[in-house]
């Protein structure tokens, strides 16, 4: 349509009518006189809107899927983070359970021997004081520790305290070549002196060269005067080899220590000695021997075997 004076007047008239209808519709509310026309328009244009909606929905669904995918990705990342935290916590719990088991085992030894102990954690290893086999523990003079106190764990003798600071102490391990402790054999009470050999077995010199010793025999600490540096009865190890005496005044034994010196974590320092020598009561229970299986042999009599000393007669 061309832009003429008549066309402009028509446009203004249509706009005025539209505003009038909008005003009437708003004021009429649900009783609006144009409600019927609106419903008719919905009837006409509804299917078209549905078609447009159906055409547009896949796009909307795709956008929603992308948004949900991002949310799912964030949730997966959050779950993975939580899972990693749980695994870390589980690992920590496993370690704590292991340490609690070590502590429980050590307390049982302390109870059996009536040792008053101060628990400590190994915080360093090495040659801080020039020794080859030492550890540093997180307890010191402020905890009542002094030089030449016995150190043990849930397995047996660990060593002795050599240097004490306010909050830490150095322990010389029983595996050190400079370490020596008096020992007593279980059962026959034969005395000797055990020395460390690094990562090898302990070397024990028995005072009695004719002592009857065999593989599997066990040793404990003999104890020292005034219980320093060693209290009596602490498990030392098991004999794994006995050298021939050869007429010597002493006899050499090689002993596998109860303690694994490369896996130390929780230890106890004996700050109060037992009132009485616990003797062999602190040693672990001996393993029960495996019973030998009994073999039963069943003999089935042969057809030709004699019955009551008589052989069956042959048929004629």
């Amino acid at each position: 349509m061309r832009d003429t004076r008549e066309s402009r007047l028509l446009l203004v008239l249509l706009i005025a009518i539209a505003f009038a209808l909008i005003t009437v519709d708003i004021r009429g509310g649900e009783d609006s006189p144009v409600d019927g026309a609106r419903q008719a328009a919905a009837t006409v244009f509804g299917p078209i809107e549905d078609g447009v909606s159906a055409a547009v929905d896949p796009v909307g669904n795709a956008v929603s899927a992308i948004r949900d995918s991002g949310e799912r990705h964030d949730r997966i990342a959050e779950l993975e983070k939580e899972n990693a935290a749980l695994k870390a916590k589980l690992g920590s719990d496993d370690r704590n359970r292991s340490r609690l088991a070590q502590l429980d085992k050590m307390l049982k030894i302390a109870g059996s021997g009536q040792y008053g102990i101060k628990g400590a954690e190994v915080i360093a290893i090495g040659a801080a004081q020039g020794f080859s086999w030492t550890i540093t523990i997180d307890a010191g003079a402020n905890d009542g520790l002094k030089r030449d106190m016995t150190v043990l764990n849930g397995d047996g003798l660990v060593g002795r305290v050599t240097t004490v600071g306010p909050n830490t102490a150095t322990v010389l391990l029983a595996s050190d070549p400079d370490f020596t402790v008096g020992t007593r054999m279980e059962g026959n009470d034969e005395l000797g002196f055990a020395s460390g050999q690094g990562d090898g077995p302990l070397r024990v010199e028995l005072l009695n060269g004719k002592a009857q010793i065999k593989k599997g025999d066990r040793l404990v600490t003999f104890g020292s005067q005034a219980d320093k540096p060693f209290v009596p009865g602490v498990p030392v190890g098991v004999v794994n080899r006995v050298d021939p005496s050869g007429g010597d005044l002493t006899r050499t034994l090689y002993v596998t220590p109860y303690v694994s010196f490369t896996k130390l974590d929780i230890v106890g320092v004996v700050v109060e000695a037992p009132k009485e020598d616990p003797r062999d009561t602190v040693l672990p229970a001996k393993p029960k021997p495996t019973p030998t299986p009994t073999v039963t042999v069943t003999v089935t009599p042969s057809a030709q075997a004699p019955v009551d000393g008589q052989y069956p007669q042959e048929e004629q």
Side-chain angles (χ1 to χ4, degrees):
M1 185 172 61
R2 293 184 299 171
D3 184 16
T4 62
R5 185 168 179 270
E6 290 80 3
S7 62
R8 286 196 295 270
L9 288 174
L10 181 59
L11 178 61
V12 172
L13 180 61
L14 291 174
I15 292 174
I17 293 172
F19 274 109
L21 290 174
I22 291 172
T23 302
V24 171
D25 186 35
I26 293 174
R27 290 180 178 180
E30 294 181 355
D31 298 328
S32 170
V34 298
D35 185 60
R38 184 166 59 245
Q39 292 180 1
T43 301
V44 174
F45 293 106
I48 299 174
E49 290 174 350
D50 288 342
V52 172
S53 175
V56 174
D57 275 348
V59 179
N61 290 339
V63 173
S64 178
I66 293 172
R67 181 181 65 251
D68 293 343
S69 175
E71 291 175 355
R72 286 195 295 270
H73 178 75
D74 293 341
R75 181 56 181 158
I76 290 172
E78 182 180 352
L79 289 173
E80 289 177 347
K81 184 177 179 180
E82 291 175 0
N83 191 33
L86 288 173
K87 287 182 178 179
K89 186 175 184 297
L90 179 61
S92 176
D93 288 345
D94 285 343
R95 183 168 185 268
N96 286 337
R97 280 192 290 269
S98 172
R99 301 181 77 191
L100 286 173
Q102 293 178 52
L103 181 59
D104 182 62
K105 195 174 179 181
M106 184 175 69
L107 290 176
K108 287 180 179 178
I109 276 191
S112 298
Q114 296 298 300
Y115 307 124
I117 64 171
K118 172 65 181 180
E121 180 182 356
V122 176
I123 58 175
I125 59 174
Q129 276 73 37
F131 298 118
S132 299
W133 291 78
T134 61
I135 56 173
T136 301
I137 58 176
D138 63 349
N142 293 338
D143 302 290
L145 271 58
K146 298 179 181 179
R147 180 183 171 88
D148 288 335
M149 284 184 166
T150 307
V151 182
L152 51 77
N153 68 1
D155 297 315
L157 180 67
V158 172
R160 63 180 176 87
V161 176
T162 56
T163 306
V164 180
N167 300 302
T168 61
T170 301
V171 177
L172 179 67
L173 301 180
S175 56
D176 190 274
D178 291 335
F179 185 95
T180 301
V181 58
T183 62
R184 181 176 55 77
M185 298 295 304
E186 176 189 17
N188 60 19
D189 293 338
E190 293 287 353
L191 302 181
F193 293 95
S195 301
Q197 295 192 117
D199 55 0
L202 302 177
R203 179 188 175 99
V204 178
E205 295 291 337
L206 288 185
L207 301 182
N208 181 4
K210 297 181 180 180
Q212 298 300 311
I213 306 297
K214 64 183 182 300
K215 183 177 180 179
D217 286 346
R218 306 186 296 180
L219 300 87
V220 297
T221 56
F222 176 66
S224 307
Q225 185 175 5
D227 299 309
K228 288 188 177 183
F230 301 108
V231 294
V234 180
V236 175
V238 181
V239 175
N240 64 29
R241 181 162 66 90
V242 182
D243 279 357
S245 61
D248 295 335
L249 296 178
T250 62
R251 193 164 194 186
T252 303
L253 314 176
Y254 295 91
V255 173
T256 301
Y258 282 116
V259 172
S260 177
F261 298 106
T262 60
K263 296 190 295 185
L264 294 171
D265 187 8
I266 303 297
V267 299
V269 181
V270 181
V271 294
E272 184 178 350
K275 295 180 180 179
E276 296 181 0
D277 187 344
R279 308 293 293 179
D280 303 329
T281 60
V282 186
L283 284 167
K286 288 186 176 180
K288 295 181 180 180
T290 304
T292 304
T294 303
V295 179
T296 303
V297 179
T298 303
V299 178
T300 303
S302 171
Q304 299 297 321
V307 179
D308 295 332
Q310 300 294 326
Y311 284 91
Q313 294 182 356
E314 296 182 0
E315 295 182 358
Q316 299 296 329

